[in-house]
């Protein structure tokens, strides 16, 4: 089978396996939101994509984080295959992990803790691997790739510990040395966006996490518990030098009442790249959007 066809088959099995797993867990699927009056601040991606329609600007969704927080007011468990546009700096074109349009499986659970969504994330990933092994194991083997088995729970390391042990480039180093997926937890408040919840018992440390793939494939998912109280959200927005007006729609929701929740987003192309063992996420898409590069179609 051609590499491109294999990538399509694996992607299709991955999407089906995620849906099957989450529906069995009691989740409902939300249709994606592409244009919004407010979107994820993502301070490491400074450029914004907007369009003007009906006399006002609309952001192209960077992540559905605020929509997820709003949606769990209606249903306790929601997920979405969410197309995200993030205008990544051109230097990231060669990271192997960045497209400026990608899809993430974004999910959120009302009143869940970080531990609960980490447990869900592990079971989801192992379910996906087992479905892909069954459906595409042979085709992948022909390309020299064996779908791996991993024991649970995956190991955890705190952000501070990882930095102490592996230096500045700890994420790369940790992913390169890991033999199984590994959790990076407890990011310092300055490292993440305002919506990740600060640990009430450990000021300055967040109740959040990333999952890293082994073999150097890098970040798989990001998530955590969320700030949901209006006064805390305001303090966090101001603490990051952002304006309250810009996040008015979120603050209005929070004043009306948000639930505590936790969730994560897992990049679909990164997952397929890892499963296929490809060098770049662009190889997983028929119509990839690589930062700074033109597209044929
Ligand atoms: N959607 C992610 C989350 O749930 C954030 C992201 O997109 O990076 O935290
Ligand atoms: Mg992330």
């Amino acid at each position: 089978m051609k590499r491109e066809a294999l990538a399509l088959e694996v992607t299709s099995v991955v999407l089906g396996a995620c849906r099957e797993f989450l529906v069995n867990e009691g989740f409902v699927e939300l249709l994606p939101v592409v244009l919004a009056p407010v979107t994820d601040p993502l301070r490491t991606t400074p450029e914004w994509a907007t369009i003007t329609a009906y006399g006002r600007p609309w952001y192209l969704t960077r992540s559905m984080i605020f929509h997820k927080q709003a949606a769990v007011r209606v249903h306790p468990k929601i997920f979405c295959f969410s197309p995200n546009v993030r205008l990544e700096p051109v230097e990231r074109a060669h990271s192997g992990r960045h497209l400026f349009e990608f899809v993430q499986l974004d999910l959120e659970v009302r009143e869940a803790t970080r531990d609960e969504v980490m447990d869900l994330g592990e079971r989801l990933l192992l379910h996906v691997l087992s479905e892909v092994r069954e459906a595409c194991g042979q085709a992948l083997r022909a390309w020299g790739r064996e779908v791996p088995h991993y024991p649970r729970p995956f190991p955890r390391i705190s952000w501070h510990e990882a930095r102490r042990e592996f230096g500045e480039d700890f994420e790369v180093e940790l992913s390169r040395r890991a033999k199984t997926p590994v959790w990076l937890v407890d990011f310092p408040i300055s490292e993440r966006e305002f919506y990740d919840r600060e640990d009430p018992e450990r000021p300055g440390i967040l109740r959040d996490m990333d999952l890293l793939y082994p073999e150097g494939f890098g970040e798989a998912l990001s998530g955590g518990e969320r700030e949901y109280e209006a006064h805390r959200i305001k303090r966090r927005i101001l603490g990051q030098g952002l304006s309250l007006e810009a996040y008015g729609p979120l603050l209005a929701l929070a004043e009306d009442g948000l639930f505590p929740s936790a969730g994560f987003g897992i990049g679909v192309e990164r997952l397929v790249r890892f499963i296929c063992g490809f060098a770049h996420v662009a190889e997983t898409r028929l119509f990839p959007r690589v930062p700074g590069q033109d597209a044929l179609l």
Side-chain angles (χ1 to χ4, degrees), residues 106-118:
D106 222 353
L107 63 83
E108 197 73 15
V109 183
R110 187 197 291 169
E111 269 149 8
T113 62
R114 175 177 66 177
D115 281 348
E116 287 165 346
V117 291
M118 287 170 75

Side-chain angles (χ1 to χ4, degrees), residues 63 68 86 104 106 195 222-223 226 264-265:
S63 93
K68 293 197 299 177
R86 299 184 184 178
Q104 67 172 332
D106 222 353
Y195 52 77
S222 294
R226 317 300 185 184
F264 58 77

Side-chain angles (χ1 to χ4, degrees), residues 13-29:
V13 173
V14 165
L15 298 177
C18 290
R19 278 201 172 99
E20 181 201 24
F21 176 87
L22 290 171
V23 168
N24 273 333
E25 293 278 327
F27 282 74
V28 293
E29 182 170 359

Side-chain angles (χ1 to χ4, degrees), residues 9-159:
E9 292 212 353
V10 170
T11 304
S12 176
V13 173
V14 165
L15 298 177
C18 290
R19 278 201 172 99
E20 181 201 24
F21 176 87
L22 290 171
V23 168
N24 273 333
E25 293 278 327
F27 282 74
V28 293
E29 182 170 359
L30 228 63
L31 293 175
V33 172
V34 172
L35 299 170
V38 61
T39 191
D40 197 320
L42 289 174
R43 288 164 309 148
T44 60
T45 306
E47 245 193 277
W48 297 84
T50 58
I51 64 156
T52 299
Y54 308 106
R56 57 148 302 162
W58 296 83
Y59 292 107
L60 273 71
T61 302
R62 302 173 128 202
S63 93
M64 278 179 56
I65 179 63
F66 305 134
H67 301 89
K68 293 197 299 177
Q69 287 186 275
V72 293
R73 292 174 11 132
V74 178
H75 193 283
K77 293 178 168 188
I78 57 99
F79 75 96
C80 184
F81 289 105
S82 168
N84 290 182
V85 174
R86 299 184 184 178
L87 302 183
E88 303 290 356
V90 284
E91 309 83 77
R92 293 187 191 153
H94 304 292
S95 69
R97 292 188 293 120
H98 292 94
L99 295 174
F100 67 94
E101 180 197 323
F102 68 96
V103 176
Q104 67 172 332
L105 168 58
D106 222 353
L107 63 83
E108 197 73 15
V109 183
R110 187 197 291 169
E111 269 149 8
T113 62
R114 175 177 66 177
D115 281 348
E116 287 165 346
V117 291
M118 287 170 75
D119 178 77
L120 180 85
E122 291 188 0
R123 290 186 294 113
L124 169 68
L125 180 61
L126 295 190
H127 176 74
V128 168
L129 293 181
S130 123
E131 293 294 298
V132 174
R133 197 179 299 116
E134 201 175 306
C136 314
Q138 222 171 331
L140 282 162
R141 210 166 298 127
W143 279 98
R145 186 74 177 161
E146 201 64 49
V147 182
H149 288 269
Y150 299 116
R152 254 181 25 92
F154 303 157
R156 292 181 185 197
I157 184 167
S158 78
W159 188 94

